[in-house]
């Protein structure tokens, strides 16, 4: 394994490529052991580049057969070749270059470039995988038209690439050929090739302009009954982008191919999306409600990239959030609209709130810790060593929040006008985040002639989660309420090391608020010439005040409604105020938040009580609030399931200093147990009323019922209800769908694990699904996160014949689930958990650096943990850094953790 010397790339160092490469022809002779690639391209020197400027091409793990310029083969002395570049000097201003190279797909375990999975060929080129296929200008601002010739044995029945199929023919009795042309110029990261024998499901549909387009989903033979949901989701995505954004599919044919070995969720290659099979295949017996939802969301995401990513792409990889933040925002809105489809207004508001809650839960669990740790970076990073490490929660999810704030500031119609302007200006270009904000700002300025986005742009430059402190001053005589907002954002990550220390400027924060009277009724707020229940305060300075008149009594504030900005609110609510909000807030998101705040305080209090040896108890206000939520049958079940779920350990850890994960896990369990016991009849009632007889449907209403039913089951079991264990066993035995089956098994493993029948059920589950990798992943994941699982259990599970580190889904199911989501198993003062983690990071480092680096991030925040854990964590990180042959990916993560965490 090669050791890379880390080189830090700076955003400010961007320079344009000196040549245009208008067209590319690629000819592949596919062979798993030795694939031959012939690249032919025309180059033309850019007007502002120096004559004879060197043509530097990237290449990795390739062997060179020949190079020629304008038909003349080059001698070895006429080019410079090193491990990562091929440089041609003294070229004419225009030239045709041909390069023939070879690569070894079946030896490629990185899953970047051209590789073999399940006997078929697949490519993954984003961000820098194309250089493993051929020498090329592997950067997103070089856009070319591609013609692709694929030749392979006929045992690979389908030969696919981007765009339109131009011709196909038999070469001889054994081999055949297909020729594809993509009419749209694209960066090489959007190139794709797939060759294999698949089953396919397809349909044709009409676009809004009346064109007929072919939609296809390819997957492994035998999975033909599991692709209906994916194809339907794709059709819904097409329609949605037309209706909401006026954006139409620009190709005659759009293909999705499912693959088992894949580093991430999916990839938006032009006209040929490649998907992790986990985000394509679903039937009721093998996929959960959550899987169905994720499939629809990822299919939407990749499809929406066709405009936000492909038609308008990134100038350089520092601009990644330009396409990812925007496309996540679009997929979130798509899912919200699908969840609210065919509902009346009130139900639709609640359904959309459920989606918002889920997205905010993810943001807080994954992005907030990132933003306070050693890898903290702005959504548009200033520097990186390995771009693969910057496909982060910050770039994706906080990036989506930054787009959402622009949507909030402009309104739906204004945002749409801004999007139209963005495409009018930049269709067919590779652009920057600033270009996007410019388009949005042009609309904002027409709405508010005196305002601009100068301050707003700081969201792209500064890292960290701002805190907004809120104070309310009520003047009874004047019947006036003054709201003061003060923001602060401490330097984080590399900002702390800047000399002089990075000075952070105020952010432009839209803070959506309402006020309730003491009966819980909403107050009308006079603001900008109207009367409103909700107002958006635009905080752009360190501290600002707003005054509301005609307020009869001290109000209760409902703050950051719909999570209008990715910030933390500091406000000293009394418990009874939170209870009031939890019972009455008309904003369902803020209502959920109030209940979660009560629960967070409760769990943290129990953790503190345990630490001092005090007997823990639940506060009356908390129990009353949760009983009220649980018995409010006017709420829909999906919403109730979110409102009654305990905040995650990861979210709670952000409020604990120093962090003590086992103590937190124990406190959270104790609160669940007490709630299960105290509210037993209410859980039972919820369980009874949430049954979903009849055929399974993944639709939001029945899925919501299953979520509530299974949550109630967990609380009942946790509370020691013996009948609940029988109910769980019955549900497991009789379930006709994976959601109920897995929930029952999970509850049994967590709360009835010492019963021999639980192990029997686990064994039976494996036996039944042994042939189905996606279900076997669930089986591994369930055990990896079980409360009783230790490092020893893990070592036994790794001996299981079905386990392999080479398949990322399997590694994620077992290793990542344990290291990221099993606090008790991992966080031990004797360090065995961390030693296990380090061992797996190194094992993966040799196979797949991208995946290894993701696992390496598990100990990012080590410096914030209790001293007893901090030392063994640091030791494990140090042992990785000392390892020879570390990939650039892992090296960057571990070095930043050790150097920047404290
Ligand atoms: N661009 C893809 C998306 O967001 C994700 C992606 C980036 C990816 N790099 C990857 C997928 C590497 C697989 C492997 O949809
Ligand atoms: Zn994406």
């Amino acid at each position: 394994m090669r050791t890379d010397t880390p080189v830090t790339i700076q955003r400010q160092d961007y320079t344009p490529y000196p040549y245009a490469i208008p067209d590319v022809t690629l000819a592949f002779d596919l062979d798993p052991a030795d694939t031959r690639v012939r690249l032919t391209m025309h180059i033309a020197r850019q007007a502002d580049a120096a004559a004879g400027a060197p043509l530097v091409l990237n290449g990795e793990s390739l062997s060179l057969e020949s190079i020629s310029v304008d038909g003349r083969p080059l001698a070895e002395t006429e080019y410079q070749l090193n491990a990562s570049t091929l440089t041609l000097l003294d070229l004419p201003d225009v030239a045709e270059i041909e390069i023939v190279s070879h690569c070894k797909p079946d030896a490629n375990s990185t899953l970047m470039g051209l590789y073999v999975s399940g006997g078929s060929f697949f490519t993954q080129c984003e961000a820098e995988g194309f250089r493993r296929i051929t020498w090329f200008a592997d950067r997103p601002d070089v856009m070319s038209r591609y013609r692709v010739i694929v030749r392979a044995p006929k045992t690979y029945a389908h030969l696919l690439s981007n765009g339109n199929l131009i011709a196909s023919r038999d070469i001889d009795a054994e081999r055949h050929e297909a020729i594809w042309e993509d009419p749209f110029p694209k960066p090489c990261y959007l190139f794709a090739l797939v060759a294999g024998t698949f089953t396919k499901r397809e349909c044709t549909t009409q676009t809004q302009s009346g064109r007929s387009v072919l939609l296809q989903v390819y997957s492994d033979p035998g999975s033909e009954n599991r692709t209906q949901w994916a194809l339907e989701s794709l059709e819904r995505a097409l329609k949605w982008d037309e209706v909401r954004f006026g954006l139409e599919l620009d190709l005659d044919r759009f293909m999705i191919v499912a693959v088992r070995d894949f580093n991430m969720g999916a990839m938006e290659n032009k006209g040929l999306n490649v998907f992790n099979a986990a985000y394509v295949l679903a039937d009721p017996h093998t996929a959960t409600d959550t899987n169905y939802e994720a499939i629809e969301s990822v299919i939407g995401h990749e499809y929406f990239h066709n405009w936000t990513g492909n038609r308008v792409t990134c100038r350089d990889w520092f601009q990644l959030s330009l396409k990812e933040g925007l496309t996540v925002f679009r997929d979130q809105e798509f899912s919200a609209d699908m969840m609210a489809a065919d509902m009346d207004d009130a139900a639709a508001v609640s359904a959309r709130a459920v989606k918002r809650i889920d997205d905010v839960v993810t943001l807080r669990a994954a992005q907030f810790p990132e933003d306070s740790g050693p890898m903290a970076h702005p959504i548009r990073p200033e520097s990186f060593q390995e771009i693969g490490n910057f496909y982060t929660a910050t770039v994706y999810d906080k990036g989506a929040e930054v787009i959402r704030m622009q949507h909030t500031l402009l309104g739906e119609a204004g945002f749409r006008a801004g999007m139209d302007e963005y495409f009018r200006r930049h269709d067919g270009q590779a652009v920057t985040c600033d270009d996007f904000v410019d388009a949005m700002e042009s609309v904002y300025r027409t709405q508010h002639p005196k305002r601009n986005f100068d301050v707003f742009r700081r969201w792209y430059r500064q890292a960290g989660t701002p805190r907004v402190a809120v104070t309310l001053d009520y003047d009874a005589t004047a019947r006036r309420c003054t709201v003061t907002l003060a923001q602060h954002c401490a330097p984080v990550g590399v900002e702390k090391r800047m000399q002089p220390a990075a000075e952070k400027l105020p952010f432009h924060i839209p803070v959506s608020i309402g006020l309730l009277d003491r009966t819980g009724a909403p107050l009308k707020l006079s603001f900008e010439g109207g009367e409103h229940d909700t107002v958006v305060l635009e905080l752009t300075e360190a501290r600002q005040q707003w005054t509301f008149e005609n307020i009869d009594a001290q109000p209760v504030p409902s703050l950051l409604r719909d999570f209008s900005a990715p910030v933390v609110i500091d406000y000293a609510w009394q418990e009874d105020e939170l209870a009031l909000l939890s019972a009455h807030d008309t904003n369902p998101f803020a209502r959920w938040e109030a209940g979660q705040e009560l629960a967070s305080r409760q769990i943290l209090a129990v953790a503190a009580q345990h630490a001092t040896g005090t007997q823990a108890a639940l506060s009356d206000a908390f129990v009353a609030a949760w009983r009220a939520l649980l018995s409010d049958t006017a709420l829909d079940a999906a919403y109730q399931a979110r409102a009654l779920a305990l905040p995650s350990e990861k979210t709670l850890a952000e409020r604990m200093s120093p962090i003590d994960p086992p103590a937190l896990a124990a406190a959270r369990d104790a609160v669940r147990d007490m709630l299960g016991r105290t509210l037993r009849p209410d859980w039972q009632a919820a369980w009874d009323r949430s049954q979903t007889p009849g055929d399974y449907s993944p639709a939001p209403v029945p899925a919501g019922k299953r979520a509530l039913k299974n949550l109630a089951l967990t609380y009942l079991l946790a509370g020691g209800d013996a009948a609940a264990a029988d109910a769980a066993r019955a549900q497991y035995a009789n379930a006709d769908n994976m959601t109920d089956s897995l929930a029952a098994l999970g509850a049994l493993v967590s709360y009835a694990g010492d019963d021999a029948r639980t192990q029997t059920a686990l064994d039976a589950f494996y036996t039944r699904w042994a042939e189905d990798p996606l279900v076997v992943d669930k089986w591994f994941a369930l055990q990896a996160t079980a409360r009783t699982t230790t490092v020893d259990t893990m070592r036994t599970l790794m001996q299981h014949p079905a386990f392999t580190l080479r398949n990322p889904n399997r590694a994620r199911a077992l290793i990542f689930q344990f290291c990221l989501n099993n606090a008790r198993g991992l966080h031990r003062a004797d360090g065995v958990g961390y030693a296990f983690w380090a061992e797996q990071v190194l094992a993966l480092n040799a196979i797949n650096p991208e995946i290894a680096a993701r696992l390496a991030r598990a100990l990012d925040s080590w410096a914030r943990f209790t001293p007893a854990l901090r030392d063994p964590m640091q030791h494990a990180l140090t042992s990785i850094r000392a390892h020879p042959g570390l990939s650039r990916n892992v090296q960057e993560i571990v070095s930043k953790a050790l150097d920047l965490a404290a």
Side-chain angles (χ1 to χ4, degrees), residues 268 301-302 305 324 396:
E268 69 266 24
H301 180 98
E302 306 311 330
H305 267 316
E324 294 306 344
Y396 276 67

Side-chain angles (χ1 to χ4, degrees), residues 126 266 268 301-302 305 308 323-325 327-328 331 391 396:
E126 189 180 7
E268 69 266 24
H301 180 98
E302 306 311 330
H305 267 316
T308 51
K323 72 177 178 78
E324 294 306 344
T327 304
V328 171
D331 83 52
Y391 286 77
Y396 276 67

Side-chain angles (χ1 to χ4, degrees), residues 123-126 130 143-148 159-165 180-194 211 213-216 218 234 241 247-257 262 266-275 301-313 317 323 330 423 426-429:
T123 57
Q124 172 57 38
C125 296
E126 189 180 7
F130 193 73
M143 296 169 78
S144 322
R145 280 203 179 78
Y146 283 71
R147 178 183 173 87
V148 179
L159 307 178
L160 310 175
S161 191
N162 316 84
N164 301 316
L165 181 62
W180 293 80
E181 248 175 40
D182 180 356
F184 295 94
K186 64 171 177 289
C188 64
Y189 83 86
L190 292 172
F191 166 79
L193 176 153
V194 173
R211 284 186 310 113
V213 295
L214 174 63
L215 309 181
Q216 298 180 312
Y218 292 80
L234 180 59
D241 219 7
L247 298 172
E248 186 175 312
L249 178 59
D250 55 10
L251 292 164
D252 299 334
R253 172 176 185 152
F254 189 90
M255 298 170 280
I256 286 176
V257 188
F262 202 67
M267 180 63 211
E268 69 266 24
N269 316 302
K270 185 80 188 189
L272 179 56
N273 289 358
V274 176
F275 270 63
H301 180 98
E302 306 311 330
Y303 175 73
F304 304 142
H305 267 316
N306 192 48
W307 281 93
T308 51
N310 302 3
R311 286 288 286 255
V312 183
T313 194
W317 290 120
K323 72 177 178 78
R330 277 154 51 73
F423 292 117
H426 299 301
D427 187 13
Q429 300 173 7

Side-chain angles (χ1 to χ4, degrees), residues 729 732 745 748 756-766 779:
R729 275 187 281 271
Y732 178 69
L745 186 59
L748 288 168
R757 286 171 290 180
T758 303
Q759 189 58 48
T760 309
L762 262 178
D763 295 344
F765 187 93
Y766 180 79
W779 182 79

Side-chain angles (χ1 to χ4, degrees), residues 722-741:
D726 292 334
R729 275 187 281 271
Q731 177 170 318
Y732 178 69
N734 302 328
D736 68 348
N737 66 83
M738 182 52 75
T739 306
D740 283 343
S741 165

Side-chain angles (χ1 to χ4, degrees), residues 8 48 179 190 340 361 374 416 476 740 783 894 901:
T8 299
D48 47 5
I179 302 179
L190 292 172
V361 165
R416 171 64 197 272
D740 283 343
Q783 296 176 86
V894 172

Side-chain angles (χ1 to χ4, degrees), residues 169 196-197 364 453:
R169 65 177 182 108
T197 300
R364 285 181 174 149
F453 273 170

